[in-house]
Amino acid sequence: FNEGILKVLDSQIPYFIVYILCLDNKCKLYVGYKEGLKSDHFSVKEYFSSDWLNADDIVLEIKGLNLDEVYENFIKQIAKEKLIAHADDGDIGSAVERTRQIEKLEAEAAKLEKKQYTEVQPKRKYEIHERVLKIKEQREELRDGKAEDAYK
């Protein structure tokens, strides 16, 4: 499955959409966090998906006083632990941004760790190791909510 298809659909449809993909009585939910660029166009900042579930086990609770709140609750229900939110997050946008920052730091740490294992020079290897530790520390601060968007 290619998320690019969803991006094309979402860029052309200015409404909140929850996609349900089904195959052999198994279903997966996809939802994109959208931000409005203009009144009729949205930009998807991040996609979240559920695990493959039996079709009978899929439940989305409708909570909220308006469509924005209902949609945000759908995102929270589908993303579950993939969305890193904290009590101090005023809206879901900051939780999505925090999640994106953490994923970026994790990718950077993995890339450096790979580089560290292939490095031959001990001094250079140690420098890379120190950078990896610093990146992991930043990631944990974001996870714990101690960093105030310091790593944008």
Side-chain angles (χ1 to χ4, degrees), residues 63-151:
K63 293 189 293 188
L65 299 176
N66 58 41
L67 282 178
D68 290 337
E69 290 177 12
V70 170
Y71 186 66
E72 286 181 7
N73 279 306
F74 282 167
I75 292 172
K76 289 175 186 175
Q77 291 174 59
I78 292 170
K80 295 185 181 174
E81 69 275 350
K82 297 171 196 160
L83 183 66
I84 299 171
H86 297 283
D88 61 336
D89 286 338
D91 62 339
I92 197 161
S94 58
V96 170
E97 183 59 33
R98 182 187 313 268
T99 302
R100 291 180 77 190
Q101 289 174 3
I102 289 170
E103 288 172 354
K104 184 179 175 184
L105 289 172
E106 287 172 347
E108 187 177 346
K111 182 179 171 184
L112 285 173
E113 284 175 337
K114 186 176 180 181
K115 187 176 181 180
Q116 176 185 345
Y117 292 123
T118 60
E119 183 61 51
V120 178
Q121 296 179 10
K123 183 178 179 184
R124 181 79 176 122
K125 194 174 222 175
Y126 179 75
E127 290 171 357
I128 294 171
H129 176 72
E130 288 294 313
R131 286 179 34 207
V132 169
L133 290 178
K134 189 176 274 189
I135 289 170
K136 286 183 176 182
E137 183 181 317
Q138 291 174 352
R139 180 195 64 197
E140 290 308 313
E141 286 176 0
L142 280 172
R143 275 190 201 271
D144 297 339
K146 294 176 185 171
E148 296 295 323
D149 296 327
Y151 307 108

Side-chain angles (χ1 to χ4, degrees), residues 1-21 30 32 34 40-44 47:
F1 175 73
N2 185 350
E3 281 185 8
I5 296 168
L6 297 182
K7 286 184 181 184
V8 170
L9 290 172
D10 277 331
S11 68
Q12 299 301 314
I13 302 172
Y15 301 108
F16 301 128
I17 302 172
V18 175
Y19 297 96
I20 304 171
L21 307 176
Y30 268 90
K34 293 183 177 185
D40 59 343
H41 286 292
F42 285 92
S43 170
V44 177
Y47 278 101

Side-chain angles (χ1 to χ4, degrees), residues 9-67:
L9 290 172
D10 277 331
S11 68
Q12 299 301 314
I13 302 172
Y15 301 108
F16 301 128
I17 302 172
V18 175
Y19 297 96
I20 304 171
L21 307 176
C22 294
L23 178 68
D24 298 331
N25 201 35
K26 296 279 187 180
C27 294
K28 186 173 195 163
L29 301 173
Y30 268 90
V31 64
Y33 173 70
K34 293 183 177 185
E35 288 184 349
L37 296 174
K38 301 176 189 170
S39 61
D40 59 343
H41 286 292
F42 285 92
S43 170
V44 177
K45 297 298 180 189
E46 187 77 29
Y47 278 101
F48 296 100
S49 64
S50 67
D51 296 326
W52 285 98
L53 304 168
N54 288 327
D56 298 335
D57 295 339
I58 293 177
V59 176
L60 281 178
E61 191 175 326
I62 299 173
K63 293 189 293 188
L65 299 176
N66 58 41
L67 282 178

